Amino acid sequence: MNNVGIDISKYKHDCFIVTDFGEVLNEGFSFENNAKGFSMLLDELLKSDKENLRIGFESTGNYSINLKLFLEKNGYSFMEINPVLVKEHIKSQSLRRTTTDKLSAMAIANYLISKEYLPHLKSFYHTFSLKQLTRLRSDLVHQRSRYLVQLTNVLDCVFPEFKPFFDGKFSATALFILTNYPSPEKIANMNVKSFDILRRKSRGKFSMDKFVMLKHLAKNTVGMYTDFYGIQMDALLDIYYQIDCKLSEVDAEITKIITEINPPTLSIKGVGEVSAAVIVSEFGDFSRFPNPGKMLAFAGLEPGYFQSGIAEHNGRMVKHGSAHLRCAILNCCRALRLHNEVFAAYYLKKIGEGKEHGVAVSHMAKKLIRLIFTLETKGERFDPAKLR
């Protein structure tokens, strides 16, 4: 078996090829991240049978995407390796601190010799699309939240009583008021026609009593409204609505793709389309994981463990791996408590055993991952009757 180690970088990649017996077939060469460079790599790969090749490189985000698509198009399997594992492997081989791209490629090739070859999913385009979209969605949500924080800072100066009146939240009604009546003076001068619009906007939740109370607070506010605050509010609200609109488009595309794939994870009651998309895309090929424990470790949800001499204790979650995946699983646990009877009973059982809320949720996460592992590896749909 020939082992191909590729060190990924932005503009060029380095390659090193060695057999299982340590015979060096190619002492290393560089190829550019373009069509000419990829053709050069392909010429080298064609010297060996596809079944006799193991190709590995570090997981480096978008720098390796074009290479992965190229290899898949030409029928080659490949294995992505955690950079931390490669670094530790290099340290275990030598005490020297010299590092070059060529040496990194050599280390990756040697790593393939000593470890089990776990090739990437053959067709990862849909999974890659979901991963990009769900991560974009996460970024948009964070950006939207950031602009709401800035809007809160402006309101603290202009109308500090406004946000507490809406229980500290920016509801659709609250944002509508700020968009159409940006100053306390305009809010204080709202009329019956304005109330009718707000009542319909809130689906009847914004009562006349609330309307009168808000006008009273606006009339007697201690805030100070000036033109530059108005410019700030207008800009922040405009950007917020733009992001919110794009977020809706991204959600629609995520829902479309995950519905087409229709993975078994989506059949779990309490796991929505977006959460299922994050879980499926971040885990990738479920066949890479021999047991649920590996999936738990991949998500960074396993507890730390320390043992030395007579000292021995468990620690908190290690929180390695994808933060997007970990967040999605924990968010699912909240939904499962409300919408899935089996998981709700399991949570109450752990609370009854004296577990704290956070610990009980972590047990739910473990149970959820065990369930996902079973469904995805066996290709089954969720059946609450079979869940214990």
Side-chain angles (χ1 to χ4, degrees):
M1 189 69 71
N2 299 334
N3 303 279
V4 182
I6 302 176
D7 181 70
I8 304 291
S9 58
K10 186 171 184 177
Y11 299 112
K12 60 96 178 177
H13 311 311
D14 287 85
C15 182
F16 188 91
I17 306 176
V18 63
T19 68
D20 285 343
F21 301 103
E23 179 186 356
V24 177
L25 300 181
N26 192 307
E27 292 187 354
F29 66 94
S30 298
F31 62 97
E32 295 182 351
N33 188 21
N34 55 32
K36 182 180 178 180
F38 284 9
S39 178
M40 179 180 174
L41 172 65
L42 183 60
D43 290 341
E44 194 65 34
L45 295 179
L46 288 173
K47 295 178 182 179
S48 304
D49 295 331
K50 290 181 181 179
E51 295 74 18
N52 197 41
L53 277 177
R54 289 187 292 198
I55 303 173
F57 45 82
E58 293 178 330
S59 179
T60 52
N62 61 307
Y63 288 166
S64 61
I65 293 301
N66 292 330
L67 179 61
K68 289 191 284 188
L69 289 171
F70 176 79
L71 291 172
E72 182 181 90
K73 180 181 177 181
N74 286 278
Y76 289 95
S77 67
F78 54 87
M79 175 180 175
E80 282 192 285
I81 307 169
N82 190 316
V84 176
L85 296 178
V86 176
K87 183 179 179 180
E88 292 300 320
H89 179 75
I90 294 173
K91 288 168 64 175
S92 69
Q93 300 299 309
S94 173
L95 295 176
R96 300 179 65 183
R97 295 188 177 183
T98 302
T99 302
T100 64
D101 294 337
K102 180 180 178 180
L103 289 175
S104 295
M106 183 191 303
I108 294 171
N110 288 322
Y111 180 90
L112 291 173
I113 298 175
S114 59
K115 302 297 180 180
E116 180 185 2
Y117 186 60
L118 300 172
H120 205 281
L121 189 65
K122 285 288 183 182
S123 179
F124 72 99
Y125 181 76
H126 282 307
T127 303
F128 168 69
S129 299
L130 278 178
K131 190 172 185 178
Q132 293 296 98
L133 286 172
T134 52
R135 291 197 170 192
L136 172 62
R137 182 186 186 279
S138 178
D139 290 339
L140 289 175
V141 169
H142 282 97
Q143 289 181 40
R144 186 178 63 175
S145 299
R146 188 178 68 197
Y147 285 111
L148 288 181
V149 170
Q150 293 182 36
L151 183 61
T152 300
N153 294 339
V154 175
L155 282 173
D156 287 341
C157 301
V158 174
F159 190 0
E161 301 89 352
F162 182 85
K163 195 172 180 182
F165 177 79
F166 287 95
D167 299 323
K169 300 175 182 178
F170 282 116
S171 63
T173 305
L175 290 172
F176 180 83
I177 292 173
L178 291 176
T179 303
N180 295 275
Y181 309 95
S183 68
E185 182 182 357
K186 290 184 177 181
I187 294 175
N189 292 329
M190 290 189 300
N191 53 30
V192 176
K193 184 178 179 180
S194 301
F195 167 70
D196 188 55
I197 295 173
L198 293 175
R199 182 183 58 80
R200 283 188 276 110
K201 188 72 177 178
S202 65
R203 297 181 181 179
K205 294 180 181 179
F206 196 76
S207 64
M208 177 58 77
D209 290 340
K210 288 185 177 181
F211 180 71
V212 173
M213 177 63 71
L214 181 61
K215 283 168 57 70
H216 175 75
L217 290 174
K219 185 177 181 180
N220 297 281
T221 182
V222 296
M224 182 65 67
Y225 179 85
T226 58
D227 289 341
F228 73 85
Y229 279 136
I231 294 172
Q232 276 187 286
M233 288 181 62
D234 182 65
L236 291 171
L237 284 167
D238 185 50
I239 296 172
Y240 169 84
Y241 282 120
Q242 288 184 44
I243 294 175
D244 195 58
C245 180
K246 290 299 177 183
L247 195 54
S248 298
E249 293 178 11
V250 172
D251 281 345
E253 188 62 25
I254 290 173
T255 301
K256 176 184 175 183
I257 296 175
I258 196 66
T259 303
E260 288 177 357
I261 298 175
N262 195 23
T265 298
L266 188 58
S267 67
I268 301 174
K269 185 180 179 182
V271 178
E273 287 88 354
V274 173
S275 295
V278 175
I279 292 170
V280 169
S281 63
E282 293 292 334
F283 275 125
D285 184 7
F286 288 92
S287 64
R288 296 183 300 150
F289 303 97
N291 55 64
K294 296 290 184 180
M295 289 176 60
L296 197 71
F298 182 84
L301 289 168
E302 65 174 350
Y305 177 75
F306 175 83
Q307 190 276 327
S308 179
I310 61 173
E312 181 179 0
H313 63 83
N314 292 321
R316 297 183 178 181
M317 287 182 187
V318 296
K319 294 188 178 181
H320 291 163
S322 170
H324 300 279
L325 174 59
R326 189 162 53 253
C327 182
I329 291 173
L330 293 176
N331 284 337
C332 282
C333 290
R334 298 187 183 96
L336 289 169
R337 284 174 54 202
L338 299 174
H339 305 292
N340 193 303
E341 299 82 359
V342 178
F343 278 90
Y346 185 73
Y347 171 81
L348 293 175
K349 175 187 174 184
K350 292 300 176 183
I351 293 295
E353 293 173 357
K355 308 289 186 185
E356 295 181 359
H357 168 73
V359 178
V361 170
S362 69
H363 280 282
M364 286 181 66
K366 294 176 185 178
K367 186 178 183 68
L368 175 59
I369 287 180
R370 289 195 297 269
L371 175 60
I372 292 172
F373 174 82
T374 301
L375 296 181
E376 292 289 348
T377 54
K378 294 184 178 181
E380 298 178 357
R381 311 303 289 180
F382 175 68
D383 183 359
K386 296 180 180 179
L387 191 62
R388 293 179 297 175

